[in-house]
Amino acid sequence: MHKSQLSRILALLVILITVLVVVPGTTANAKSRGLPKSYQGTWHSKPIYTYETKHINKNIAEPRMKAVLHSKTIKWHWYGHSPKGYTHKWHTMYVGAASYGAYKLTGAVPQGGNTFIYRASRHHLVLAYEHGNHTDLYR
């Protein structure tokens, strides 16, 4: 046998071993999860004011939020007049497991801790935070 024939046979053996051993082990069963189409799109919240005060800029407790919902991610930012400590930078949350219509969110969540999103009505979503607070999102 010549060198070229040996190298071809060796190459075929390597390919055969790769196909038989490596390929079956690389199949992935990806769990498909994401927000329904009815959740997706652009949503806005109204500013939240401190308790029993005039609705003026200096009394804003939480500014307005704009959230753009995709199947597996939610991009959001505060906009309008922002109190101290709030920025207009865009953040990203990731959609996690769903249970009873509520989806767990991870990533840059607005108030830290466990955060969930669920649908309250046709044009109303709720971002619920771990400590009992929530943000209402409207179309």
Side-chain angles (χ1 to χ4, degrees):
M1 290 181 128
H2 291 43
K3 263 186 162 178
S4 62
Q5 289 176 335
L6 284 175
S7 63
R8 286 183 189 161
I9 292 173
L10 185 61
L12 286 172
L13 283 173
V14 168
I15 291 172
L16 182 64
I17 291 171
T18 304
V19 168
L20 292 177
V21 175
V22 177
V23 173
T26 59
T27 58
N29 295 326
K31 184 177 179 183
S32 177
R33 63 177 184 236
L35 295 174
K37 286 254 186 196
S38 59
Y39 281 47
Q40 296 177 31
T42 303
W43 297 78
H44 300 270
S45 75
K46 297 175 182 174
I48 298 173
Y49 296 90
T50 53
Y51 182 68
E52 290 186 358
T53 59
K54 288 172 64 176
H55 288 191
I56 58 176
N57 283 345
K58 76 174 194 175
N59 293 334
I60 290 179
E62 183 179 290
R64 293 182 292 172
M65 176 194 282
K66 180 179 183 179
V68 181
L69 281 69
H70 301 283
S71 176
K72 298 189 189 258
T73 61
I74 299 173
K75 294 197 175 271
W76 65 274
H77 77 114
W78 305 114
Y79 72 101
H81 178 78
S82 295
K84 194 173 189 177
Y86 290 89
T87 65
H88 293 278
K89 189 175 107 176
W90 283 89
H91 305 279
T92 303
M93 294 185 282
Y94 300 97
V95 177
S99 64
Y100 300 104
Y103 295 85
K104 186 170 179 10
L105 302 175
T106 58
V109 294
Q111 294 189 10
N114 291 325
T115 302
F116 297 91
I117 190 167
Y118 65 91
R119 186 152 208 172
S121 67
R122 184 174 176 184
H123 297 289
H124 181 200
L125 291 178
V126 177
L127 276 175
Y129 308 116
E130 182 174 337
H131 306 293
N133 297 340
H134 70 278
T135 300
D136 297 308
L137 297 171
Y138 301 97
R139 287 248 182 210

